Amino acid sequence: TPKSMAETDTCGPPSLGHLILALKWCRHVVGSTDFPKHIVKCVAERAAILLCTEVLLHDEIRDGTLHDDTIRRVNMQLLDLFGYADTESEGLNPKVAVSSHQRDKSLALTIGEDILGIVQINLKHQLRAACLEREEEQKMWEQNNSGWDNATWASSSKRQGRRSPFRSMRKTSSGDLS
């Protein structure tokens, strides 16, 4: 994925990353007075529809050139752009779904709720996969950092973790092997 518009000329043929970058640009400049809103809206609508079509085609073809990591990264970027608001499905945390839905408000204002809704319906599987993965990452982060606030640096508590397999041998190693 190109990081800036300057990199797009040297990145080779157009890709999904170029469309994602175009939508991020549209989301960024929507509040700017430098660009006519109708042109930004037109570019954003076309880029969103084309991106949706391209993702669905890649998914249908399932070519072996895409790795799972690439698919996950694209899905996460799609989630950041379009959000996912399906809170009735099993296992989804409404807080995660609502926060990603609020993030896409500026894109919704740019492309309109109708096109955003169509894109969300068509990319439902990709957006749901990214939302579930983000929720899992959040759970893992919370589990890893849950006791961090209460921990003391100079604690005299016993060492936690795996016990030594030689621990039981210390008692019998005093010379009495009978």
Side-chain angles (χ1 to χ4, degrees), residues 9-67:
D9 292 337
T10 62
C11 286
S15 66
L16 294 176
H18 291 92
L19 294 170
I20 290 170
L21 183 63
L23 283 169
K24 286 180 180 180
W25 177 83
C26 290
R27 184 172 62 184
H28 177 73
V29 299
V30 73
S32 174
T33 58
D34 297 340
F35 297 98
K37 291 191 187 325
H38 67 281
I39 292 175
V40 175
K41 179 180 170 95
C42 182
V43 169
E45 286 175 349
R46 300 314 189 268
I49 292 169
L50 187 57
L51 177 62
C52 179
T53 304
E54 285 293 316
V55 168
L56 292 174
L57 284 174
H58 279 282
D59 195 37
E60 187 176 315
I61 293 171
R62 292 234 192 253
D63 56 355
T65 60
L66 292 178
H67 301 289

Short mmCIF file of all heavy atoms in Angstrom, two decimals, residues 9-67:
data_model
loop_
_atom_site.label_atom_id
_atom_site.label_comp_id
_atom_site.label_asym_id
_atom_site.label_seq_id
_atom_site.Cartn_x
_atom_site.Cartn_y
_atom_site.Cartn_z
N ASP A 9 3.31 6.85 -8.04
CA ASP A 9 3.92 6.78 -9.36
C ASP A 9 4.98 5.70 -9.47
O ASP A 9 5.24 5.19 -10.54
CB ASP A 9 4.53 8.13 -9.73
CG ASP A 9 3.48 9.20 -9.94
OD1 ASP A 9 2.32 8.84 -10.24
OD2 ASP A 9 3.81 10.39 -9.80
N THR A 10 5.60 5.34 -8.35
CA THR A 10 6.70 4.38 -8.38
C THR A 10 6.29 3.00 -7.90
O THR A 10 7.13 2.12 -7.81
CB THR A 10 7.85 4.89 -7.49
OG1 THR A 10 7.39 5.01 -6.14
CG2 THR A 10 8.37 6.23 -7.99
N CYS A 11 5.04 2.80 -7.60
CA CYS A 11 4.59 1.53 -7.02
C CYS A 11 4.16 0.50 -8.05
O CYS A 11 3.72 -0.58 -7.69
CB CYS A 11 3.43 1.76 -6.05
SG CYS A 11 3.96 2.47 -4.50
N GLY A 12 4.24 0.80 -9.31
CA GLY A 12 3.82 -0.16 -10.31
C GLY A 12 2.36 0.01 -10.68
O GLY A 12 1.80 1.10 -10.58
N PRO A 13 1.73 -1.09 -11.10
CA PRO A 13 0.33 -0.99 -11.54
C PRO A 13 -0.61 -0.65 -10.37
O PRO A 13 -0.29 -0.92 -9.22
CB PRO A 13 0.04 -2.39 -12.10
CG PRO A 13 1.03 -3.28 -11.46
CD PRO A 13 2.25 -2.45 -11.18
N PRO A 14 -1.76 -0.08 -10.69
CA PRO A 14 -2.74 0.27 -9.64
C PRO A 14 -3.14 -0.96 -8.82
O PRO A 14 -3.19 -2.07 -9.33
CB PRO A 14 -3.93 0.82 -10.42
CG PRO A 14 -3.38 1.22 -11.74
CD PRO A 14 -2.22 0.30 -12.01
N SER A 15 -3.42 -0.72 -7.55
CA SER A 15 -3.76 -1.82 -6.65
C SER A 15 -4.89 -1.39 -5.71
O SER A 15 -5.35 -0.24 -5.76
CB SER A 15 -2.53 -2.22 -5.83
OG SER A 15 -2.17 -1.17 -4.96
N LEU A 16 -5.28 -2.30 -4.84
CA LEU A 16 -6.28 -1.98 -3.83
C LEU A 16 -5.78 -0.85 -2.93
O LEU A 16 -6.56 -0.01 -2.48
CB LEU A 16 -6.60 -3.21 -2.98
CG LEU A 16 -7.28 -4.38 -3.67
CD1 LEU A 16 -7.44 -5.56 -2.71
CD2 LEU A 16 -8.61 -3.98 -4.24
N GLY A 17 -4.49 -0.85 -2.69
CA GLY A 17 -3.89 0.18 -1.85
C GLY A 17 -4.09 1.58 -2.40
O GLY A 17 -4.27 2.53 -1.64
N HIS A 18 -4.06 1.71 -3.72
CA HIS A 18 -4.29 3.02 -4.33
C HIS A 18 -5.72 3.50 -4.08
O HIS A 18 -5.95 4.68 -3.81
CB HIS A 18 -4.01 2.97 -5.83
CG HIS A 18 -2.57 2.79 -6.15
ND1 HIS A 18 -2.01 1.55 -6.33
CD2 HIS A 18 -1.57 3.68 -6.32
CE1 HIS A 18 -0.73 1.69 -6.60
NE2 HIS A 18 -0.43 2.97 -6.60
N LEU A 19 -6.67 2.59 -4.17
CA LEU A 19 -8.06 2.96 -3.92
C LEU A 19 -8.28 3.30 -2.45
O LEU A 19 -9.02 4.25 -2.12
CB LEU A 19 -9.00 1.82 -4.35
CG LEU A 19 -9.02 1.54 -5.86
CD1 LEU A 19 -9.77 0.25 -6.15
CD2 LEU A 19 -9.65 2.71 -6.60
N ILE A 20 -7.64 2.55 -1.57
CA ILE A 20 -7.74 2.84 -0.13
C ILE A 20 -7.14 4.20 0.16
O ILE A 20 -7.71 5.01 0.91
CB ILE A 20 -7.06 1.72 0.69
CG1 ILE A 20 -7.88 0.43 0.59
CG2 ILE A 20 -6.87 2.13 2.14
CD1 ILE A 20 -7.21 -0.81 1.16
N LEU A 21 -5.99 4.48 -0.43
CA LEU A 21 -5.35 5.78 -0.25
C LEU A 21 -6.23 6.91 -0.78
O LEU A 21 -6.35 7.97 -0.15
CB LEU A 21 -3.99 5.80 -0.95
CG LEU A 21 -3.17 7.08 -0.78
CD1 LEU A 21 -2.81 7.32 0.68
CD2 LEU A 21 -1.91 6.99 -1.62
N ALA A 22 -6.87 6.70 -1.92
CA ALA A 22 -7.76 7.72 -2.47
C ALA A 22 -8.94 8.00 -1.53
O ALA A 22 -9.31 9.16 -1.32
CB ALA A 22 -8.29 7.27 -3.84
N LEU A 23 -9.49 6.95 -0.93
CA LEU A 23 -10.60 7.14 0.01
C LEU A 23 -10.13 7.83 1.29
O LEU A 23 -10.85 8.66 1.86
CB LEU A 23 -11.26 5.80 0.33
CG LEU A 23 -12.18 5.29 -0.77
CD1 LEU A 23 -12.58 3.85 -0.52
CD2 LEU A 23 -13.41 6.18 -0.89
N LYS A 24 -8.93 7.50 1.76
CA LYS A 24 -8.40 8.18 2.94
C LYS A 24 -8.18 9.66 2.63
O LYS A 24 -8.44 10.53 3.47
CB LYS A 24 -7.09 7.53 3.39
CG LYS A 24 -7.29 6.19 4.06
CD LYS A 24 -5.97 5.59 4.49
CE LYS A 24 -6.17 4.25 5.16
NZ LYS A 24 -4.89 3.66 5.59
N TRP A 25 -7.71 9.95 1.42
CA TRP A 25 -7.53 11.34 1.01
C TRP A 25 -8.86 12.07 0.98
O TRP A 25 -8.97 13.19 1.48
CB TRP A 25 -6.85 11.39 -0.36
CG TRP A 25 -6.68 12.77 -0.88
CD1 TRP A 25 -5.68 13.65 -0.58
CD2 TRP A 25 -7.56 13.45 -1.79
NE1 TRP A 25 -5.88 14.83 -1.26
CE2 TRP A 25 -7.02 14.73 -2.01
CE3 TRP A 25 -8.73 13.08 -2.45
CZ2 TRP A 25 -7.63 15.65 -2.85
CZ3 TRP A 25 -9.33 14.00 -3.29
CH2 TRP A 25 -8.79 15.28 -3.49
N CYS A 26 -9.88 11.43 0.42
CA CYS A 26 -11.21 12.05 0.36
C CYS A 26 -11.75 12.32 1.76
O CYS A 26 -12.32 13.39 2.01
CB CYS A 26 -12.19 11.15 -0.41
SG CYS A 26 -11.86 11.06 -2.17
N ARG A 27 -11.54 11.37 2.65
CA ARG A 27 -12.00 11.55 4.04
C ARG A 27 -11.26 12.70 4.70
O ARG A 27 -11.84 13.45 5.48
CB ARG A 27 -11.80 10.25 4.81
CG ARG A 27 -12.33 10.28 6.22
CD ARG A 27 -12.27 8.94 6.88
NE ARG A 27 -10.90 8.47 6.98
CZ ARG A 27 -10.57 7.27 7.45
NH1 ARG A 27 -11.50 6.44 7.85
NH2 ARG A 27 -9.31 6.91 7.52
N HIS A 28 -10.00 12.85 4.35
CA HIS A 28 -9.18 13.90 4.95
C HIS A 28 -9.56 15.30 4.45
O HIS A 28 -9.61 16.25 5.22
CB HIS A 28 -7.70 13.62 4.68
CG HIS A 28 -6.78 14.67 5.20
ND1 HIS A 28 -6.52 14.84 6.53
CD2 HIS A 28 -6.08 15.63 4.54
CE1 HIS A 28 -5.69 15.85 6.69
NE2 HIS A 28 -5.40 16.34 5.49
N VAL A 29 -9.81 15.42 3.15
CA VAL A 29 -10.05 16.74 2.57
C VAL A 29 -11.51 17.14 2.56
O VAL A 29 -11.83 18.24 2.11
CB VAL A 29 -9.47 16.86 1.13
CG1 VAL A 29 -8.00 16.65 1.13
CG2 VAL A 29 -10.19 15.97 0.17
N VAL A 30 -12.39 16.29 3.06
CA VAL A 30 -13.82 16.62 2.99
C VAL A 30 -14.13 17.91 3.77
O VAL A 30 -15.01 18.67 3.38
CB VAL A 30 -14.70 15.44 3.47
CG1 VAL A 30 -14.63 15.26 4.97
CG2 VAL A 30 -16.13 15.64 3.03
N GLY A 31 -13.40 18.19 4.82
CA GLY A 31 -13.65 19.40 5.60
C GLY A 31 -12.88 20.61 5.10
O GLY A 31 -13.08 21.72 5.56
N SER A 32 -12.01 20.40 4.13
CA SER A 32 -11.18 21.49 3.62
C SER A 32 -11.98 22.36 2.65
O SER A 32 -12.85 21.88 1.94
CB SER A 32 -9.97 20.90 2.90
OG SER A 32 -9.24 21.92 2.28
N THR A 33 -11.68 23.62 2.63
CA THR A 33 -12.35 24.53 1.70
C THR A 33 -11.60 24.64 0.38
O THR A 33 -12.06 25.31 -0.54
CB THR A 33 -12.48 25.93 2.32
OG1 THR A 33 -11.16 26.39 2.66
CG2 THR A 33 -13.35 25.90 3.56
N ASP A 34 -10.44 23.99 0.29
CA ASP A 34 -9.62 24.09 -0.92
C ASP A 34 -10.20 23.30 -2.09
O ASP A 34 -9.90 23.60 -3.24
CB ASP A 34 -8.20 23.59 -0.64
CG ASP A 34 -7.49 24.45 0.39
OD1 ASP A 34 -7.92 25.61 0.60
OD2 ASP A 34 -6.51 23.97 0.98
N PHE A 35 -10.98 22.27 -1.80
CA PHE A 35 -11.49 21.42 -2.86
C PHE A 35 -13.01 21.51 -2.92
O PHE A 35 -13.68 21.51 -1.89
CB PHE A 35 -11.10 19.95 -2.60
CG PHE A 35 -9.62 19.74 -2.61
CD1 PHE A 35 -8.90 19.68 -1.43
CD2 PHE A 35 -8.93 19.57 -3.81
CE1 PHE A 35 -7.54 19.49 -1.44
CE2 PHE A 35 -7.57 19.37 -3.82
CZ PHE A 35 -6.86 19.33 -2.64
N PRO A 36 -13.56 21.55 -4.13
CA PRO A 36 -15.03 21.54 -4.26
C PRO A 36 -15.59 20.22 -3.73
O PRO A 36 -15.11 19.14 -4.09
CB PRO A 36 -15.24 21.68 -5.76
CG PRO A 36 -13.96 22.19 -6.33
CD PRO A 36 -12.88 21.72 -5.41
N LYS A 37 -16.57 20.32 -2.89
CA LYS A 37 -17.14 19.13 -2.23
C LYS A 37 -17.74 18.15 -3.24
O LYS A 37 -17.67 16.95 -3.05
CB LYS A 37 -18.17 19.55 -1.20
CG LYS A 37 -17.55 20.23 0.00
CD LYS A 37 -18.56 20.38 1.10
CE LYS A 37 -18.08 21.19 2.27
NZ LYS A 37 -16.72 21.10 2.65
N HIS A 38 -18.34 18.65 -4.31
CA HIS A 38 -18.96 17.75 -5.28
C HIS A 38 -17.92 16.89 -6.01
O HIS A 38 -18.19 15.76 -6.37
CB HIS A 38 -19.84 18.53 -6.27
CG HIS A 38 -19.09 19.43 -7.19
ND1 HIS A 38 -18.62 20.68 -6.82
CD2 HIS A 38 -18.72 19.26 -8.48
CE1 HIS A 38 -18.00 21.23 -7.83
NE2 HIS A 38 -18.04 20.40 -8.86
N ILE A 39 -16.72 17.44 -6.22
CA ILE A 39 -15.66 16.65 -6.86
C ILE A 39 -15.13 15.59 -5.90
O ILE A 39 -14.93 14.44 -6.29
CB ILE A 39 -14.53 17.58 -7.37
CG1 ILE A 39 -15.06 18.43 -8.52
CG2 ILE A 39 -13.31 16.76 -7.81
CD1 ILE A 39 -14.08 19.46 -9.03
N VAL A 40 -14.92 15.97 -4.64
CA VAL A 40 -14.45 15.01 -3.64
C VAL A 40 -15.48 13.91 -3.46
O VAL A 40 -15.14 12.72 -3.38
CB VAL A 40 -14.16 15.71 -2.29
CG1 VAL A 40 -13.81 14.71 -1.21
CG2 VAL A 40 -13.04 16.73 -2.45
N LYS A 41 -16.77 14.28 -3.44
CA LYS A 41 -17.84 13.29 -3.30
C LYS A 41 -17.84 12.33 -4.49
O LYS A 41 -17.96 11.11 -4.31
CB LYS A 41 -19.19 13.98 -3.18
CG LYS A 41 -20.35 13.02 -3.06
CD LYS A 41 -21.66 13.79 -2.93
CE LYS A 41 -22.83 12.88 -3.06
NZ LYS A 41 -23.39 12.40 -1.86
N CYS A 42 -17.68 12.85 -5.68
CA CYS A 42 -17.66 12.01 -6.89
C CYS A 42 -16.48 11.04 -6.86
O CYS A 42 -16.64 9.84 -7.13
CB CYS A 42 -17.60 12.90 -8.13
SG CYS A 42 -17.63 11.99 -9.67
N VAL A 43 -15.30 11.53 -6.52
CA VAL A 43 -14.11 10.67 -6.44
C VAL A 43 -14.30 9.61 -5.36
O VAL A 43 -14.01 8.42 -5.57
CB VAL A 43 -12.84 11.51 -6.16
CG1 VAL A 43 -11.65 10.62 -5.82
CG2 VAL A 43 -12.52 12.39 -7.35
N ALA A 44 -14.82 10.00 -4.21
CA ALA A 44 -15.01 9.06 -3.10
C ALA A 44 -16.04 7.98 -3.46
O ALA A 44 -15.83 6.80 -3.15
CB ALA A 44 -15.44 9.81 -1.85
N GLU A 45 -17.13 8.38 -4.08
CA GLU A 45 -18.15 7.40 -4.48
C GLU A 45 -17.59 6.38 -5.46
O GLU A 45 -17.78 5.18 -5.30
CB GLU A 45 -19.36 8.11 -5.10
CG GLU A 45 -20.22 8.84 -4.11
CD GLU A 45 -21.34 9.62 -4.79
OE1 GLU A 45 -21.33 9.77 -6.03
OE2 GLU A 45 -22.22 10.10 -4.05
N ARG A 46 -16.89 6.89 -6.49
CA ARG A 46 -16.34 5.98 -7.51
C ARG A 46 -15.27 5.07 -6.91
O ARG A 46 -15.23 3.88 -7.21
CB ARG A 46 -15.73 6.76 -8.68
CG ARG A 46 -16.65 7.68 -9.47
CD ARG A 46 -17.99 7.06 -9.83
NE ARG A 46 -18.77 7.86 -10.75
CZ ARG A 46 -19.68 8.77 -10.38
NH1 ARG A 46 -19.87 9.04 -9.13
NH2 ARG A 46 -20.40 9.40 -11.29
N ALA A 47 -14.42 5.63 -6.06
CA ALA A 47 -13.36 4.83 -5.45
C ALA A 47 -13.95 3.78 -4.51
O ALA A 47 -13.47 2.63 -4.48
CB ALA A 47 -12.38 5.73 -4.69
N ALA A 48 -14.98 4.12 -3.76
CA ALA A 48 -15.61 3.16 -2.85
C ALA A 48 -16.25 2.01 -3.62
O ALA A 48 -16.10 0.84 -3.25
CB ALA A 48 -16.65 3.86 -1.98
N ILE A 49 -16.96 2.34 -4.68
CA ILE A 49 -17.62 1.30 -5.48
C ILE A 49 -16.57 0.42 -6.17
O ILE A 49 -16.70 -0.82 -6.18
CB ILE A 49 -18.59 1.94 -6.49
CG1 ILE A 49 -19.77 2.57 -5.74
CG2 ILE A 49 -19.07 0.91 -7.51
CD1 ILE A 49 -20.65 3.45 -6.61
N LEU A 50 -15.54 1.03 -6.72
CA LEU A 50 -14.49 0.27 -7.39
C LEU A 50 -13.73 -0.60 -6.39
O LEU A 50 -13.43 -1.77 -6.68
CB LEU A 50 -13.54 1.21 -8.13
CG LEU A 50 -12.49 0.57 -9.02
CD1 LEU A 50 -13.13 -0.33 -10.07
CD2 LEU A 50 -11.66 1.65 -9.69
N LEU A 51 -13.42 -0.06 -5.22
CA LEU A 51 -12.73 -0.84 -4.20
C LEU A 51 -13.57 -2.05 -3.77
O LEU A 51 -13.06 -3.16 -3.66
CB LEU A 51 -12.40 0.04 -2.99
CG LEU A 51 -11.74 -0.65 -1.80
CD1 LEU A 51 -10.39 -1.23 -2.19
CD2 LEU A 51 -11.58 0.33 -0.64
N CYS A 52 -14.85 -1.82 -3.56
CA CYS A 52 -15.75 -2.90 -3.18
C CYS A 52 -15.77 -3.99 -4.25
O CYS A 52 -15.65 -5.18 -3.95
CB CYS A 52 -17.16 -2.33 -2.96
SG CYS A 52 -18.40 -3.56 -2.52
N THR A 53 -15.88 -3.58 -5.50
CA THR A 53 -15.90 -4.54 -6.61
C THR A 53 -14.59 -5.31 -6.70
O THR A 53 -14.59 -6.54 -6.86
CB THR A 53 -16.17 -3.81 -7.94
OG1 THR A 53 -17.38 -3.07 -7.81
CG2 THR A 53 -16.28 -4.78 -9.08
N GLU A 54 -13.47 -4.62 -6.56
CA GLU A 54 -12.16 -5.27 -6.65
C GLU A 54 -11.95 -6.27 -5.51
O GLU A 54 -11.43 -7.36 -5.72
CB GLU A 54 -11.04 -4.22 -6.64
CG GLU A 54 -10.90 -3.48 -7.94
CD GLU A 54 -10.41 -4.38 -9.07
OE1 GLU A 54 -9.48 -5.18 -8.86
OE2 GLU A 54 -10.97 -4.28 -10.17
N VAL A 55 -12.35 -5.90 -4.30
CA VAL A 55 -12.19 -6.81 -3.15
C VAL A 55 -13.03 -8.06 -3.37
O VAL A 55 -12.58 -9.18 -3.13
CB VAL A 55 -12.55 -6.10 -1.83
CG1 VAL A 55 -12.69 -7.09 -0.69
CG2 VAL A 55 -11.51 -5.05 -1.49
N LEU A 56 -14.26 -7.87 -3.83
CA LEU A 56 -15.12 -9.03 -4.08
C LEU A 56 -14.57 -9.91 -5.20
O LEU A 56 -14.66 -11.15 -5.11
CB LEU A 56 -16.54 -8.57 -4.41
CG LEU A 56 -17.30 -7.91 -3.25
CD1 LEU A 56 -18.63 -7.35 -3.74
CD2 LEU A 56 -17.50 -8.89 -2.11
N LEU A 57 -13.99 -9.32 -6.22
CA LEU A 57 -13.37 -10.11 -7.30
C LEU A 57 -12.16 -10.88 -6.80
O LEU A 57 -11.99 -12.06 -7.12
CB LEU A 57 -12.99 -9.21 -8.47
CG LEU A 57 -14.13 -8.74 -9.36
CD1 LEU A 57 -13.63 -7.74 -10.39
CD2 LEU A 57 -14.81 -9.92 -10.04
N HIS A 58 -11.32 -10.23 -6.00
CA HIS A 58 -10.17 -10.92 -5.42
C HIS A 58 -10.62 -12.07 -4.54
O HIS A 58 -10.02 -13.15 -4.54
CB HIS A 58 -9.29 -9.97 -4.62
CG HIS A 58 -8.35 -9.15 -5.44
ND1 HIS A 58 -7.18 -9.66 -5.93
CD2 HIS A 58 -8.42 -7.86 -5.86
CE1 HIS A 58 -6.55 -8.72 -6.62
NE2 HIS A 58 -7.29 -7.62 -6.60
N ASP A 59 -11.68 -11.84 -3.80
CA ASP A 59 -12.21 -12.88 -2.91
C ASP A 59 -12.78 -14.04 -3.72
O ASP A 59 -12.61 -15.21 -3.35
CB ASP A 59 -13.28 -12.28 -1.99
CG ASP A 59 -13.60 -13.18 -0.82
OD1 ASP A 59 -12.67 -13.83 -0.30
OD2 ASP A 59 -14.78 -13.24 -0.43
N GLU A 60 -13.45 -13.73 -4.82
CA GLU A 60 -14.04 -14.77 -5.65
C GLU A 60 -12.96 -15.59 -6.37
O GLU A 60 -13.06 -16.81 -6.46
CB GLU A 60 -14.97 -14.13 -6.69
CG GLU A 60 -15.77 -15.13 -7.49
CD GLU A 60 -16.75 -14.45 -8.42
OE1 GLU A 60 -17.43 -13.50 -7.97
OE2 GLU A 60 -16.81 -14.87 -9.58
N ILE A 61 -11.95 -14.91 -6.86
CA ILE A 61 -10.87 -15.60 -7.57
C ILE A 61 -10.02 -16.41 -6.60
O ILE A 61 -9.59 -17.52 -6.91
CB ILE A 61 -9.99 -14.59 -8.33
CG1 ILE A 61 -10.79 -13.95 -9.46
CG2 ILE A 61 -8.74 -15.26 -8.88
CD1 ILE A 61 -10.06 -12.79 -10.12
N ARG A 62 -9.79 -15.85 -5.42
CA ARG A 62 -8.94 -16.49 -4.39
C ARG A 62 -7.60 -16.91 -4.97
O ARG A 62 -7.18 -18.05 -4.86
CB ARG A 62 -9.63 -17.68 -3.77
CG ARG A 62 -10.82 -17.34 -2.95
CD ARG A 62 -10.66 -17.93 -1.57
NE ARG A 62 -11.90 -17.85 -0.85
CZ ARG A 62 -12.10 -17.00 0.14
NH1 ARG A 62 -11.16 -16.21 0.52
NH2 ARG A 62 -13.25 -16.97 0.75
N ASP A 63 -6.95 -15.97 -5.61
CA ASP A 63 -5.66 -16.30 -6.19
C ASP A 63 -4.63 -16.52 -5.07
O ASP A 63 -4.71 -15.93 -4.02
CB ASP A 63 -5.19 -15.24 -7.18
CG ASP A 63 -5.13 -13.84 -6.57
OD1 ASP A 63 -5.54 -13.69 -5.41
OD2 ASP A 63 -4.67 -12.93 -7.26
N GLY A 64 -3.68 -17.39 -5.33
CA GLY A 64 -2.69 -17.77 -4.33
C GLY A 64 -1.64 -16.71 -4.08
O GLY A 64 -0.76 -16.92 -3.25
N THR A 65 -1.71 -15.60 -4.78
CA THR A 65 -0.69 -14.57 -4.59
C THR A 65 -0.93 -13.77 -3.32
O THR A 65 0.00 -13.16 -2.81
CB THR A 65 -0.66 -13.60 -5.79
OG1 THR A 65 -1.94 -12.98 -5.91
CG2 THR A 65 -0.31 -14.34 -7.07
N LEU A 66 -2.13 -13.78 -2.80
CA LEU A 66 -2.42 -13.04 -1.57
C LEU A 66 -2.21 -13.93 -0.36
O LEU A 66 -2.75 -15.04 -0.29
CB LEU A 66 -3.85 -12.50 -1.57
CG LEU A 66 -4.16 -11.41 -2.57
CD1 LEU A 66 -5.62 -11.01 -2.48
CD2 LEU A 66 -3.29 -10.20 -2.34
N HIS A 67 -1.45 -13.46 0.60
CA HIS A 67 -1.21 -14.20 1.83
C HIS A 67 -2.24 -13.79 2.87
O HIS A 67 -2.88 -12.74 2.75
CB HIS A 67 0.20 -13.91 2.34
CG HIS A 67 1.27 -14.29 1.37
ND1 HIS A 67 1.58 -15.60 1.07
CD2 HIS A 67 2.09 -13.54 0.60
CE1 HIS A 67 2.54 -15.64 0.17
NE2 HIS A 67 2.87 -14.39 -0.14
#
